[in-house]
Amino acid sequence: AAQAVKKISARVRFALTGTPIENRLSELWSIFDFLMPGFLGAYKHFREKYEQPVAARQDEVAAERLRRMIRPFILRRLKKEVLKELPDKLEEVVYSRMETAQREIYEARVQKLLDSLSRQSQEEYRVGKLQILAELTHLRQLCCDPSLVYENYDGGAAKVDTCVELVSNAVEAGNKVLLFSQFTSMLDIIRRRLDEAGEGIGYYILTGSTSKEKRNELVKSFNGDGPPVFLISLKAGGTGLNLTAASIVIHFDPWWNQAAQNQATDRAHRIGQQQVVTVYKLIMKDTLEEKILEMQERKAGLSEEIMADGSISEVIGSKEEFMEILRGAAEGR
C-alpha cells in the first residue's frame, strides 16, 4: 500500500490517520516518505539515528530531535478537543489470580521455555522467533483458560470467573457490554458460561467469519432492543462498528499494541454516546499479561509525545531480555 501510494504524482500531499504509529516507529518514517521524500532520510539512516535509539534505548535526546523535526508538519487533534459533548471514559485494571492447577501448568510452560532458550545460541534464537511467538501465544492462552491449550484440562480459570461476574453485574444494573478477545475460541468459552449463568445472559457474537450483512444486522439489533452483551473478536470488530448502546467495555486479554485496544474501545466511546463509558482491562496477576501492561505504561509518556505504541518486536528483542521478562513474570508473586 505504501509503495503504491508513493507512486502517485501530486504537487500537494496530506496524510490523515488516527494511528500514525501503530506498531513501530518506521511507520512514521513511511508517512513522511510519502509526504516529503527524503525529509527524514533513507530508512537505514532513520533507523540508526532515531528508531533504534528511541525504541530500544529510550534515548530522550534522539526522541526530542525527532519531535522537533516533525512537529511543524503535524496538526494533531485529540478526541476530547473536537468532541466536547462526549461523555467521560473511565479505565480500570481488574486483576485475577491463578488457582493451583492453572498456576502449575503456567509455570511449567514458562520453565520449559526458559530451559529451551538457555540452550540456544544467539543465532538459533534469532532464526527461531516464530516458534517463540507461538510459545508466547500459548502462555497468553494459559492466562485466559488452560483449556485453550490443553483439551483435557478440567481445572479452574480464574479470569473467566472474574469476567462472568463483571458481565452479570453490569447486565443486572441495566448496562450493555462489549467484550473483546483476540481468541475466538475464548469467546466460545465465555459464551457457554453466559448460557449457564442463572437464567442465561443474552449475547451476540462477531468474528471474522461473520458476513457483512450479518454484522450490520447484529449492530442494528444491539443498538436497539437486542441482547445486552456483544462478544467480539478484536481483529474482526476492533474498527468500523458503531455500538454506542454499550456503556461497558471489557478487554479480556491484553494485546501488545495498545492502539488496537483503544480503537476497539472507540466502538462505544464515539459520537452518539450518551453515557459514561467504563473500560475494564482483565489482567492475570504475576504473569506475562502483567509484563505486557507494564510495557504499555512504561512507554506511555514517550508514546504520547511521538505517537508510538509498544510492539511485540520490542518485547522479544534479545534473548537475555526475553528470558528476563519470563523470569519476572514467573517470580513476580
Side-chain angles (χ1 to χ4, degrees):
Q3 291 172 353
V5 77
K6 289 172 186 178
K7 292 178 181 178
I8 296 173
S9 177
R11 289 192 302 124
V12 180
R13 297 183 176 196
F14 292 90
L16 177 65
T17 177
T19 50
I21 300 171
E22 190 169 354
N23 286 305
R24 52 187 63 86
L25 210 51
S26 59
E27 294 168 352
L28 181 66
W29 172 86
S30 186
I31 292 174
F32 271 89
D33 191 50
F34 159 75
L35 292 171
M36 306 157 66
F39 177 68
L40 293 179
Y43 176 59
K44 182 180 178 182
H45 166 81
F46 177 83
R47 179 174 173 80
E48 293 174 353
K49 193 170 183 179
Y50 298 109
E51 187 172 18
Q52 290 179 332
V54 173
R57 301 193 294 274
Q58 286 80 56
D59 187 329
E60 182 56 34
V61 174
E64 178 57 31
R65 190 164 62 238
L66 178 59
R67 283 195 292 269
R68 282 204 212 104
M69 289 189 70
I70 66 175
R71 192 172 290 146
F73 308 103
I74 294 179
L75 178 64
R76 192 180 187 204
R77 288 294 179 265
L78 300 178
K79 186 191 294 184
K80 63 184 179 183
E81 297 172 344
V82 294
L83 298 177
K84 298 184 184 297
E85 74 284 2
L86 196 63
D88 289 339
K89 178 178 68 175
L90 309 177
E91 296 190 353
E92 181 178 343
V93 178
V94 178
Y95 291 98
S96 300
R97 285 189 179 275
M98 290 181 176
E99 297 173 0
T100 304
Q102 188 176 10
R103 169 60 65 183
E104 288 176 352
I105 293 174
Y106 176 83
E107 290 186 347
R109 194 86 184 211
V110 169
Q111 191 57 52
K112 181 181 177 182
L113 181 54
L114 283 170
D115 292 342
S116 174
L117 288 171
S118 65
R119 294 192 297 269
Q120 290 183 5
S121 66
Q122 291 292 349
E123 179 61 19
E124 289 172 329
Y125 173 79
R126 186 184 65 80
V127 299
K129 281 194 174 182
L130 279 179
Q131 183 180 352
I132 293 171
L133 289 177
E135 283 300 316
L136 276 175
T137 299
H138 288 147
L139 288 176
R140 292 175 53 236
Q141 289 175 324
L142 289 175
C143 292
C144 295
D145 188 327
S147 64
L148 292 175
V149 182
Y150 302 106
E151 291 183 7
N152 60 347
Y153 177 77
D154 59 0
K159 195 198 285 195
V160 179
D161 295 336
T162 300
C163 178
V164 172
E165 184 178 355
L166 262 179
V167 172
S168 298
N169 291 340
V171 170
E172 191 176 334
N175 298 294
K176 287 204 167 188
V177 180
L178 304 183
L179 195 157
F180 292 95
S181 174
Q182 285 116 59
F183 307 114
T184 56
S185 49
M186 190 66 241
L187 297 179
D188 287 334
I189 291 174
I190 295 171
R191 177 173 61 179
R192 290 195 294 270
R193 288 291 300 271
L194 294 180
D195 287 338
E196 297 166 359
E199 298 179 358
I201 296 174
Y203 57 82
Y204 286 143
I205 185 165
L206 188 154
T207 66
S209 62
T210 307
S211 68
K212 183 179 179 181
E213 293 74 17
K214 187 65 174 177
R215 284 166 64 104
N216 293 337
E217 179 185 323
L218 295 179
V219 168
K220 184 176 180 180
S221 177
F222 180 81
N223 284 329
D225 298 326
V229 179
F230 213 146
L231 308 176
I232 305 175
S233 160
L234 185 70
K235 187 174 182 180
T239 57
L241 297 176
N242 188 334
L243 297 166
T244 51
S247 58
I248 304 289
V249 177
I250 299 175
H251 290 287
F252 189 82
D253 36 81
W255 182 233
W256 309 99
N257 184 343
Q258 192 173 3
Q261 287 186 222
N262 292 340
Q263 286 179 336
T265 297
D266 287 348
R267 299 315 94 219
H269 194 242
R270 59 192 296 115
I271 294 174
Q273 179 58 263
Q274 302 297 319
Q275 310 170 76
V276 172
V277 174
T278 304
V279 183
Y280 295 104
K281 299 178 181 180
L282 306 190
I283 299 294
M284 189 63 80
K285 193 74 175 168
D286 301 327
T287 69
L288 183 66
E289 288 192 339
E290 252 190 327
K291 295 302 177 181
I292 297 173
L293 189 64
E294 287 175 12
M295 180 193 73
Q296 292 178 351
E297 292 173 349
R298 186 174 67 248
K299 291 181 173 291
L302 184 61
S303 298
E304 184 62 23
E305 294 181 65
I306 300 188
M307 301 169 296
D309 289 293
S311 71
I312 191 169
S313 61
E314 294 166 18
V315 177
I316 58 170
S318 71
K319 185 178 79 168
E320 289 73 17
E321 290 171 338
F322 181 50
M323 291 178 72
E324 189 59 35
I325 287 174
L326 289 175
R327 291 194 188 96
E331 299 169 1
R333 63 196 180 94

